[in-house]
Amino acid sequence: MTMTSQDAEPMRTLRALEDGRASVRLRAALSAGSAPDPRFVDKLVERSAIEPEFFVRDMLTWALTRHPVSLTLDRLVGEVRSDRSQARSQALHTLSKIGDRRAWPVITRAVLCDADDEVARSAWRAAVVLVPEGEEPALAAVLSTQLGRGGRETQLSLSRALVALGESVVEVLDAATTAPAPHTRAHALATLRLLRDPDAGFASAIEEAKRVVALGGSGPEGP
């Protein structure tokens, strides 16, 4: 049976997504998003889990957002439970871009506290997009358990997520300013500073918070 031109183009795109050249994979992802086809969804998700190039992964995410949520949501939710950290991270990133709150149940405490920093950061970003109204305080309480975690970029990601939740985070941040660990107290103080002054840079906020903690301070500064 002869393949029609309607079938040939999607098949070329699918093959190109596996090409050894990043530029070819990038064009294929662009093509898959420009002309969505149900046949692309599985391959786009599979490729996201293993694609080594950031800019190609970003295009794969965009291509998935161009497909109906009815085709992508369950597939991405399943990836969040994958053993492969990149699969989890990319699925969470894509779910945050889709923004459909039906994905919220997959954002569990275990996901928010994932041992892999990249997965956790993606989970935090997804959580603040997907959290149902009224669940913000509970989410803030879980996120606050991660204060002081990781390096500067990881801490900045967590602070941004907490700040995005607004006033619902004040109580848990205030409590964290008296935590036993100095790095937890400093991170909580810096996040409170960012909440009050969104234009404050994280680098200066965290350095100021470290000085406060080093001098024996444990509570947020006054207004």
Side-chain angles (χ1 to χ4, degrees):
M1 186 168 62
T2 304
M3 183 181 294
T4 66
S5 59
Q6 274 188 318
D7 289 327
E9 188 57 40
M11 292 304 105
R12 278 195 292 270
T13 297
L14 288 169
R15 286 194 299 272
L17 285 169
E18 297 181 335
D19 195 278
R21 295 162 292 179
S23 60
V24 174
R25 299 195 302 275
L26 180 66
R27 288 196 298 272
L30 174 61
S31 176
S34 299
D37 187 307
R39 290 171 288 186
F40 294 153
V41 172
D42 281 349
K43 180 59 69 177
L44 290 169
V45 172
E46 290 168 8
R47 188 68 214 176
S48 295
I50 60 173
E51 173 55 52
E53 300 293 342
F54 169 79
F55 59 93
V56 179
R57 293 199 301 272
D58 209 39
M59 190 65 76
L60 291 167
T61 286
W62 173 78
L64 282 163
T65 66
R66 297 274 295 162
H67 286 75
V69 176
S70 59
L71 298 177
T72 59
L73 192 66
D74 288 346
R75 187 72 173 79
L76 290 166
V77 165
E79 285 291 281
V80 176
R81 303 185 179 101
S82 170
D83 292 334
R84 188 190 294 267
S85 59
Q86 184 173 305
R88 300 197 301 278
S89 175
Q90 284 301 120
L92 287 161
H93 175 64
T94 304
L95 287 169
S96 74
K97 295 299 183 183
I98 292 172
D100 192 304
R101 286 182 169 173
R102 286 175 294 180
W104 172 247
V106 81
I107 310 296
T108 61
R109 175 182 284 268
V111 169
L112 292 167
C113 303
D114 196 286
D116 185 285
D117 283 349
E118 201 57 43
V119 176
R121 290 171 62 186
S122 294
W124 302 336
R125 290 191 293 267
V128 297
V129 171
L130 302 175
V131 62
E133 187 174 351
E135 293 289 329
E136 293 90 350
L139 173 59
V142 177
L143 292 179
S144 71
T145 67
Q146 303 301 292
L147 285 164
R149 170 178 174 169
R152 184 66 55 87
E153 287 303 312
T154 297
Q155 291 189 10
L156 174 58
S157 291
L158 182 60
S159 289
R160 283 175 171 166
L162 285 162
V163 167
L165 294 175
E167 291 301 312
S168 61
V169 305
V170 172
E171 185 176 347
V172 295
L173 289 176
D174 280 342
T177 63
T178 61
H183 59 286
T184 299
R185 298 201 301 274
H187 195 185
L189 285 168
T191 305
L192 281 168
R193 167 79 185 278
L194 291 177
L195 182 64
R196 293 176 179 137
D197 181 8
D199 293 328
F202 182 75
S204 61
I206 193 69
E207 290 306 318
E208 179 183 339
K210 286 178 180 177
R211 286 194 295 272
V212 170
V213 170
L215 293 170
S218 61
E221 297 175 342

